[in-house]
């Protein structure tokens, strides 16, 4: 006769499989079909309920979201103890960066990487997106166009002199070479960027809790599971654009969305953080749509709230049709004939 534990083993396996399936949406949420035409908004905001053992970091990683992203989207919720039954917003709606849809685009203030793989004629174009850490104030990640110059699995880390000096000054000396393994901060995969000096990488990490923050020495750091997925897709010579766009405007259908992130410390964007600049971007976003009267359809009160909250979630900032002045409705109706 089978023991009680052996009888329960199949049930445990079923429960384990159910748990894996429940986690699957997080793994799948990193890939989106690219919108066609002028639309630039992808994804949808999700809401989940925290369990008693969850932290916001746990939930964020489960759904492909980094630390700053999930904290900004859930103001007032404790990052370390949200509490059982607390509703948590997953900021999984994005406005695509203002950049060519090719190769890798690193959006610094957003703490997010976008990869636009080549696609064959007749196939839908897609984008993969992942949370990242970027350079802290005194080690800013540089901006501009570069490329992947080489790739290494199980890389050896050779700390640059500046990092060696910093650790030595703090009484934590580093070896000149750190072999692969649990003590290697590059994790299991690294892709080197063609930036002069050769010190900038897109890589994994042995400390995933820091993903999504402004904490690196200039490199782009990813969750281990994300770099593992991205690494085989990206060939050497893939273009990499590093941009800093804390404010983005984008369209979905006839709806204008606005996305605001807190600018990174120590950057020019932090000095330009103002509602005046947001207003200029909103006006610019509607200039190529002659059927729209900006003063009539932009919900300026909501735009101001979105700016102040800086939640990172793209929010629609147009007035509902019923509240648009009649003169604007006439313009829209005429344009549609």
């Amino acid at each position: 006769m089978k023991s009680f534990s052996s009888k329960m083993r199949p049930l445990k396996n079923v429960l384990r499989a159910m748990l894996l399936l429940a986690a699957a949406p997080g793994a799948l949420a990193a890939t989106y079909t690219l919108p066609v035409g002028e639309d630039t908004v992808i994804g949808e905001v999700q809401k989940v309920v925290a369990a008693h053992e969850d932290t916001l970091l746990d939930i964020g990683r489960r759904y492909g979201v980094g630390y700053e992203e999930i904290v900004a989207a859930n103001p007032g919720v404790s990052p370390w103890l949200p509490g059982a039954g607390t509703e948590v917003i997953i900021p999984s709606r994005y406005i695509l960066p203002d950049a060519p849809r090719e190769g890798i685009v690193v959006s610094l203030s957003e703490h997010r990487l976008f990869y636009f793989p080549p696609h064959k004629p007749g196939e839908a174009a897609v984008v993969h997106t992942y949370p990242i850490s970027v350079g802290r104030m005194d080690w800013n990640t540089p901006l501009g166009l570069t490329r992947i110059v080489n790739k290494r699995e199980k890389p050896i880390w050779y700390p640059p002199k500046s990092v060696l000096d910093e650790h030595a000054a703090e009484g934590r000396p580093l070896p000149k070479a750190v072999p692969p393994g649990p003590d290697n901060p590059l994790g299991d995969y690294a892709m080197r960027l063609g930036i002069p000096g050769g010190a900038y990488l897109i890589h994994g990490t042995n400390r995933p809790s820091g993903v999504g923050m402004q904490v690196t020495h200039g490199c782009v750091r990813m969750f281990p599971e994300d770099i593992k997925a991205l690494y085989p897709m990206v060939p050497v010579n893939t273009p990499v654009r590093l941009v800093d766009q804390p404010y983005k405007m984008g369209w979905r259908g006839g709806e204008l969305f606005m996305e605001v992130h807190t600018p990174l410390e120590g950057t020019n964007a932090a000095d330009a953080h103002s509602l005046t600049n947001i207003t200029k971007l909103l006006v610019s976003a509607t200039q190529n749509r002659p059927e729209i009267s900006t003063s009539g359809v932009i919900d300026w009160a909501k735009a101001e709230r979105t700016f102040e909250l800086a939640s990172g979630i793209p929010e629609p900032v147009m007035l509902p049709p019923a509240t648009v002045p009649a003169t604007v409705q006439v313009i829209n109706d005429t344009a549609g004939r």
Side-chain angles (χ1 to χ4, degrees):
M1 181 179 293
K2 293 183 178 180
S3 68
F4 179 77
S5 60
S6 64
K7 290 180 180 179
M8 290 299 293
R9 193 172 296 122
L11 178 58
K12 289 180 180 179
N13 291 336
V14 170
L15 291 173
R16 187 178 296 113
M18 291 174 64
L19 288 172
L20 290 172
L21 287 172
L28 299 175
T31 303
Y32 300 91
T33 300
L34 282 177
V36 296
E38 297 181 356
D39 284 6
T40 56
V41 179
I42 58 173
E44 294 294 348
V45 175
Q46 305 174 70
K47 294 181 179 179
V48 300
V49 177
H52 75 278
E53 70 275 12
D54 279 332
T55 68
L56 283 189
L57 281 74
D58 296 330
I59 297 171
R61 186 173 181 181
R62 199 177 302 150
Y63 286 87
V65 175
Y67 177 84
E68 295 289 353
E69 291 177 291
I70 199 159
V71 169
N74 293 276
V77 177
S78 168
W80 309 112
L81 192 63
T86 299
E87 186 176 81
V88 175
I89 294 173
I90 307 297
S92 46
R93 179 194 295 149
Y94 312 100
I95 296 175
L96 295 174
D98 184 12
R101 297 181 182 181
E102 62 175 9
I104 290 174
V105 178
V106 176
S107 185
L108 298 181
S109 288
E110 194 175 354
H111 296 93
R112 187 152 282 274
L113 180 151
F114 297 83
Y115 175 53
F116 302 88
H119 67 284
K120 298 178 182 178
E123 292 182 352
V126 301
V127 58
H128 307 279
T129 182
Y130 308 98
I132 56 172
S133 290
V134 299
R136 65 178 193 253
M137 184 170 60
D138 49 342
W139 295 88
N140 287 335
T141 304
L143 301 177
L145 176 63
T146 183
R147 63 189 179 93
I148 302 292
V149 294
N150 65 54
K151 300 168 59 178
R152 292 287 183 272
E153 190 170 347
K154 302 292 184 183
I156 299 172
W157 182 43
Y158 299 96
K161 183 177 183 303
S162 55
V163 176
L164 290 171
D165 291 346
E166 180 190 80
H167 277 254
E170 295 174 353
R172 301 182 295 117
L174 287 172
K176 292 185 178 180
V178 179
D183 296 327
N184 189 318
L186 302 184
D188 291 334
Y189 303 91
M191 301 186 289
R192 190 170 301 279
L193 303 180
I195 297 171
Y200 295 96
L201 306 166
I202 299 173
H203 63 81
T205 181
N206 61 346
R207 295 182 178 180
S209 60
V211 170
M213 301 181 185
Q214 187 182 1
V215 293
T216 77
H217 289 94
C219 287
V220 174
R221 184 186 300 171
M222 302 178 66
F223 282 129
E225 61 271 23
D226 289 345
I227 188 67
K228 183 178 180 180
L230 179 66
Y231 183 89
M233 291 192 286
V234 178
V236 171
N237 289 323
T238 294
V240 178
R241 287 176 174 84
L242 299 110
V243 302
D244 192 14
Q245 299 170 1
Y247 319 128
K248 294 190 290 183
M249 309 295 159
W251 293 88
R252 174 179 278 174
E255 189 80 36
L256 177 63
F257 286 76
M258 171 175 150
E259 179 180 327
V260 179
H261 299 269
T262 300
L264 297 176
E265 294 182 6
T267 63
N268 293 333
D271 298 330
H273 186 63
S274 72
L275 191 58
T276 300
N277 288 327
I278 286 287
T279 302
K280 291 178 181 177
L281 288 172
L282 282 168
V283 172
S284 177
T286 59
Q287 281 182 342
N288 294 328
R289 295 190 176 238
E291 76 277 13
I292 291 179
S293 168
T294 303
S295 61
V297 296
I298 298 296
D299 187 339
W300 293 106
K302 185 169 185 181
E304 184 173 357
R305 289 195 302 272
T306 301
F307 170 78
E308 291 173 349
L309 287 173
S311 70
I313 300 174
E315 297 287 355
V317 289
M318 295 175 66
L319 291 167
T323 62
V324 176
T327 53
V328 177
Q329 290 178 341
V330 170
I331 293 173
N332 289 340
D333 291 344
T334 303
R337 293 175 185 170

